[in-house]
Amino acid sequence: MNIILIKLFATALTLSQVTTRPDAVKTQFDPVADRAQVVQILRDGCAHMRKAFDIEDINLDELISTAMEDPSAIAGASAPKLLHGLDIGELNTSYRQFCKGENPANSPFDAAEVIAFYNKAVADLPSAQDLKDRRLPGASLILDGAGKRYAEAFEANGRRLSVPISDVPVMVQKAFVAAEDKRFETHKGIDERGVIRAFIGNLASPGRPAGGSTITQQVVKNLSVGDDVTYERKIREMIVASRLERILGKPQILELYLNGIYLGRGSYGIEMAARSYFGKSVGQLTVPEAALLGGMPKGPNFYNPDRYPDRAKERRAYVLARMKDEGVITEAQLTEAANAPLGLKPIETTRRDSGFYFVDHLTREARTFAGIDSLTSASHVVRSTINAGLQTAVESALQDGLAAYERATGRQRYEGPEFNLADSIAKLGGAAPAVEGSVQSVPLVVGGEAKPKPAALDSKPASSKPAPAVAAGPKPVTPKPTWQRALESARPVLYDVHWPLAVVLESGRGPVKAGLADGRIVSLDPGIARGRLQAYDVVRVKLRDPKAKILRADLRVRPSVQGAAVVLENRTGRILAMDGGFSYPLSQLNRVTQTVRQPGSTLKPLTYLAALNAGLQPNTLVMDAGVTLPPIGGVGQSWSPKNYDGGGSGATTLRRGLEFSKNLVTARLLQGGIADTAPASLTRICDLALEAQLYAECERYYPFVLGSQPVRMVDLAAFYGAIANEGARPAPYALEAVERDGTVLYRREPKEPVRIGSADRVAFYQLKTMLQGVTNHGTAAALARFSGSIAGKTGTSENENDAWFAGFTNEITIVVWVGYDNADGTRRTLGRGQTGGHLAVPIAGTILQAAWANGVARTPLAPPSAEAKRLLADLPIDPRSGERVAGGGFLEHFRLSNGRVADTQYQLLPREVQTAMRPDAEDGDNGGLDDGADATGDLYGNLTTRRGAEPDLLDPFGERQPQARSRRAQGDGYGSEGSRSPSWPGTQRSPFGEDEPPRARRRDPDYLFGDDPRY
C-alpha cells in the first residue's frame, strides 16, 4: 500500500473518531481483530463529513472532482511535500469505497498497514490533563533598587505576561476568533469542514500545506505535540484537542491560546504583544489595534508591521471585515478602523547589555529564599537591590582595567573579529567584500547621509567648483547603508561588553576606516591586528574623543585575564552592583559568589583587629625583622615568612605595619601581641574569622594570617562592611521581594547588621583609621585624593596570582579582584610587580567615582560612634616612632582603660632594644605604593617625580626612605576634605609633611612569602 495513502487513511481514521465518537477515541487497534471496526469508522466518518457539508449546501463530490481534474499536479514536483508520491487514482478509488459505498475490485486499502501506522503515531500520547494544569512560562520583570524596570528574565520562546481571560476585552477575543476559527464556539476541538477544505485546497493549489487547525488544535500544537509538519503530529494533535475540549471550557482554551501564541517583536501572548506594539495593556486596546494583533498569528514575520506595513494593513482589513460579519463591530467602526494609522510604539529592544551575573545571582536567591525554582516558570515582578547606572559603570571599569593590564604587559592576543557581516550585507543587497588583502571600497556615511567614497579618504576632491544651488525644501531622507543596517540587526557575541562595535570598511596597511552603529566613520588604529582585518569584520573599539570632529579609535581585544567586582551597601547589605567576570557569554561563573581565591594582604586587617582588641595601640612598636615560628603542636615545619623585598625595616608602629603591609610585622603579632603564644593567637584570629563569616572552617596554620586560605569575594566585602560599621556585619543580598498576579510571594524583612562580638567598637574604629592611612599614603595611595572618604587594603597572593583591593566609605564597600582562572589546575601569575595596588586599586577608584555619580553620598569618613568615643583619647605622636609629643605631630586614637590611656608602645619591643638602634633608622616603607605606581603616575607604574618631595634617606637596613616632617595636629582627626590645614586621617595630607606620597620604588609589600626565585 502506498505510504502516503497509509498516512492519509490513518489521519482519516483519527478525524472520523474525534467527530463521530469523541468520547470513545481508541488509540490502539488490533491489526487482525479490528479490521472491520476500522472500515466502519472510516465509513461513518465520511458520512459525517458529507452531512456537515450539506449544512452549507456544498457538494463534496464536486469539490473533490474539481481538485482531482489534474492528477499530474498532485503527483508532480509542485505537489505539497505531504502528498509527494501519491497515486491520485488510488486516492479516487479509496474515496469511492468509503464515501460512495462502492466495493471496487482494485481497492488499494490494507487495514493492517493503516492500523500499524496509526498505533505507532499515537504511542505515548501527551495527556490533555497536563494542558489543563499548565502554567505557561513567563517573563519576569526585574526592578532595580529605585523601583524602575531593569530587566526581563524569560526562557527561549517564553517572553510573555500571562493574563486571565477575564482581563481580555470581548472585542479582542472576538478579533482572534473571527480571524482564526469562526466556528470556535460550536465545534468540539476539530472543525471537520475546515480540515476537508484545507485538504481539498492542498490538492487543488499545491504549495505550503494548509492545516485547517482550530484554536484548540493550535493550543495543543504550541504547548504539547509540537509543530512538525507531519501526519503523525496531526493525528496526535486532533486526539489531544478533542480530549482537551472535554475537560476545559471554551474560555479556558481561549485563555491558553491568547497567552501562548507568538505575535512578533519577541512577544508571546496578547498582553506582552499589546505592551510591545502599543505601550499599553490588553484591556486598553482599540478596535484597529485588536484587529492588527488578531491577524498576526497567521504569519508574524510575513505580516510584520515594522517591515511590511502595507501587508499588515491588508491583514488588519481582513480581520476587521470578519469582525463586522460576526457582528462584533459596526460598518462605521470598520471604516474608521480600516483608515486608522498603525500607531505602533517604537521598537523597544529587549537586548540587555549589563547585569547578567547579577540577574543570575538573583534567580539563585529567589530559589533559596522565596522557594521559586524558576523566575521564568511564570510572570513575576522581582524587586532587586541593583543600582542600574552603577552596575554598568562597574562592568566598564573592570573591562577597561583588565584590557589595559594585558596591553601594558604585552599579553593581549588578537584571535579574530567578533563576527563578520559579509553574508548579511550581501543579503541586504550590499557590495560583496573585497578579495583578501585588498582595499574595500564602500559608501561612507557622514552626518547620517550616504556619500560616494573618493579614491582615497584623505585625497582632495576632483573639482573645487562650488556645487550648483538647489531649491530649498525638505531634506530627503537618505537610507542607511547596508553595513549599518546589518550591524543594527546583528546579535553581538559578547553582548555585555561595553566597547562599541565597529565594522571594518576599508582595510590596508595604515589606519583602518570603520563604521559605528550610529553611522559615523572612525579612523581605527588596528594595533596588534594590523594587516589581519578584513572587510566587514566587526571588532570592538575605544574612541579617543567621542566629541572630536575627526573620530579616532583604538582596537579593543577581549583579555584572557579575569576579574570581578562587587559594591555592597554597608548598613543594609544590599548588593548595588556585581560583576562576576569579564563577560557573561564567555563564562557564566560568578567569581564574586561562586569561587574562592587567596586574599593575600586583604586579610591582614583581621590579625590587626585581634591585636587591637587585645589591647595594643596603633603606636605599639613591632620589630619588622625576620621571625621563625615553631610548628604547631610540634607537627610539621617551622614557619619563616619574609617581606616582599626579603629584608626588614626595624622598629615599626602597628599602624605603619598595616599601612605598608609588612608581612613580618603581621607574623610577629602572633608572638604575644594577641595571646601569650603563637598557636593561641592563631586560634583567636580563626575564631574571629569564623564569627565574621569569612570562612566556614579556618585552616589553623600560620600562613593563614597572610591570606593563604582562599575566601569568597562577597564574604570579604561583608567583613570590610563590618569595619565601616564599627563591627556590625551586613548580610549581602540582592532580592527584595517577589510578586505574582499582585500577590507578594516573598519579601525580605529588614535586618540589622549582626555585631561581631569578638572585637569591640574601639578596636574596629582604630582599625578603620589605620586603613584610611593605607589609602592616604600607604599601599593604596593612588586613592590619596579620595582618602578623606575611603579606607581599605590592597592584597597580592603568592607569585602574584591574585591582585585585590577591598575598601569602604561610610556608605558602601568596594572589592575588586584580578587574576587568571585556574580551573585547569594551573596557577598563572599576573607577572612580577602586578599587585593589588597596581591592578585593583585603579579599577576601584573608577568604581568609587561612579558610585558617587550614581546616587551614593560622598561624605568624610565618620568619627567614632558615641559608644566608641567614650573609650578613646586623641593624642599627638611622632608618626614614625610612635612617641608622644607635646604640641605637634600626628593625632592618634588611643584606647582608654579605666579612664587612662593604656601605654603599649613598648609592650612587644622593650624600650632598651628600641633605644639601642641608630637614631636615624627609618621603618622602610616604600613611600606610599606597593607596586611602583604613585598617585600621579599612570595606571601601570610610569613614575612621576613629585614637586616638593623630600630627598630619600638611606636607613640602616639599606632601604631609601623619605625624610619625615612633623606638623601640628588639628581638630579631632577627621578634618573636612579640602580644608586648608586639616588633620589626618580624613584628609589628603599625610603625617610625613607631604601633601602627597613621595616617590615610590618598584616592590610589593603585599607579597605573601617573599621573593620568587623565578624573577
Side-chain angles (χ1 to χ4, degrees), residues 632-674:
I632 299 175
V635 179
Q637 297 180 342
S638 299
W639 183 50
S640 300
K642 295 180 181 180
N643 283 334
Y644 183 73
D645 60 359
S649 55
T652 303
T653 64
L654 198 65
R655 170 182 288 277
R656 291 170 63 76
L658 180 61
E659 289 173 346
F660 299 106
S661 202
K662 302 293 187 178
N663 288 343
L664 295 177
V665 172
T666 306
R668 280 186 173 272
L669 289 175
L670 296 173
Q671 293 184 310
I674 299 169

Side-chain angles (χ1 to χ4, degrees), residues 351 417-419 421 483 487-488 490-495 497-504 514-518 520 522 537-543:
R351 294 181 183 177
E418 190 156 336
F419 52 93
L421 288 176
W483 64 261
L487 182 59
E488 287 176 345
R491 175 65 167 167
V493 178
L494 305 181
Y495 45 78
V497 172
H498 299 291
W499 303 318
L501 290 169
V503 185
V504 173
L516 301 176
D518 60 8
R520 293 182 295 170
V522 301
D537 279 351
V538 178
V539 295
R540 298 281 179 174
V541 301
K542 183 82 169 182
L543 296 178

Side-chain angles (χ1 to χ4, degrees), residues 49-117:
M49 296 297 173
R50 294 171 65 87
K51 183 178 180 180
F53 273 84
D54 286 344
I55 294 175
E56 295 188 2
D57 295 325
I58 296 175
N59 190 314
L60 189 59
D61 290 341
E62 290 182 3
L63 279 175
I64 293 176
S65 298
T66 301
M68 294 183 179
E69 283 180 354
D70 186 5
S72 63
I74 307 304
S78 61
K81 291 181 179 180
L82 291 179
L83 301 178
H84 277 170
L86 178 64
D87 186 321
I88 198 66
E90 291 183 345
L91 180 61
N92 199 9
T93 300
S94 301
Y95 171 71
R96 289 189 289 107
Q97 178 180 357
F98 290 98
C99 294
K100 303 289 288 183
E102 302 178 8
N103 292 303
N106 59 342
S107 172
F109 178 74
D110 185 329
E113 291 186 274
V114 173
I115 289 172
F117 180 85

